[in-house]
Amino acid sequence: MTAKMVVQQPRPFVVATDSNQWSSGICDCGKELLECCFAFWCFPCFACKTAREYGECLCLPLLDSFGFIPPITLSMRVSMRQRYGIMGTIFNDCLYACFCGPCVWCQMSREMKARLQPITLVNARAK
């Protein structure tokens, strides 16, 4: 009987979620249906919860009711793009903040969850 000696161990490779794009689209509510329902039925609560998870003041999103352009939604989206290195323009951020507020907050919530996931090590078998 001959025994095979393992000369090279399979090396794990790292799957990282770092990208210069949003991990989900502005209208990808199907990925987190419960959160989207929460945002739809109680948007102020959802926005405050998301702001708190991002590290901002809990009541900060309540200031969005002043003015045509929601300043907090806009600034949070720009801040998140800068923090995670996501490509985009202030013009698009402004449009989304003005016309798609709840969708923007849902997208930001999904992005935080995607970016804060631990790195996954996957074993690759060498043949």
Side-chain angles (χ1 to χ4, degrees), residues 27 54 75 86 90 105 126:
C27 294
Y54 190 65
S75 61
I86 298 171
I90 190 76
W105 283 96

Side-chain angles (χ1 to χ4, degrees), residues 5-101:
M5 184 169 66
V6 176
V7 178
Q8 184 178 11
Q9 291 288 330
R11 294 184 185 156
F13 63 94
V14 177
V15 178
T17 58
D18 291 345
S19 170
N20 67 349
Q21 300 296 320
W22 291 96
S23 63
S24 63
I26 194 77
C27 294
D28 284 346
C29 287
K31 292 183 177 183
E32 293 286 337
L33 196 55
L34 290 176
E35 282 200 347
C36 286
C37 288
F38 179 28
F40 178 76
W41 292 108
C42 190
F43 176 63
C45 297
F46 180 78
C48 290
K49 175 191 84 72
T50 304
R52 185 68 183 153
E53 288 173 355
Y54 190 65
E56 295 296 335
C57 176
L58 176 69
C59 298
L60 192 62
L62 299 178
L63 297 174
D64 264 351
S65 59
F66 302 108
F68 176 70
I69 298 172
I72 306 308
T73 302
L74 176 61
S75 61
M76 287 275 295
R77 184 173 169 87
V78 170
S79 171
M80 189 168 290
R81 276 195 315 101
Q82 288 179 345
R83 179 182 287 184
Y84 297 133
I86 298 171
M87 300 298 294
T89 63
I90 190 76
F91 179 74
N92 284 343
D93 294 334
C94 188
L95 284 177
Y96 288 141
C98 288
F99 300 109
C100 307

Side-chain angles (χ1 to χ4, degrees), residues 14-18 23 31-32 84 109-121:
V14 177
V15 178
T17 58
D18 291 345
S23 63
K31 292 183 177 183
E32 293 286 337
Y84 297 133
S109 177
R110 289 189 305 268
E111 193 66 31
M112 284 189 298
K113 287 180 181 176
R115 299 284 176 153
L116 297 177
Q117 287 179 349
I119 294 176
T120 306
L121 293 176

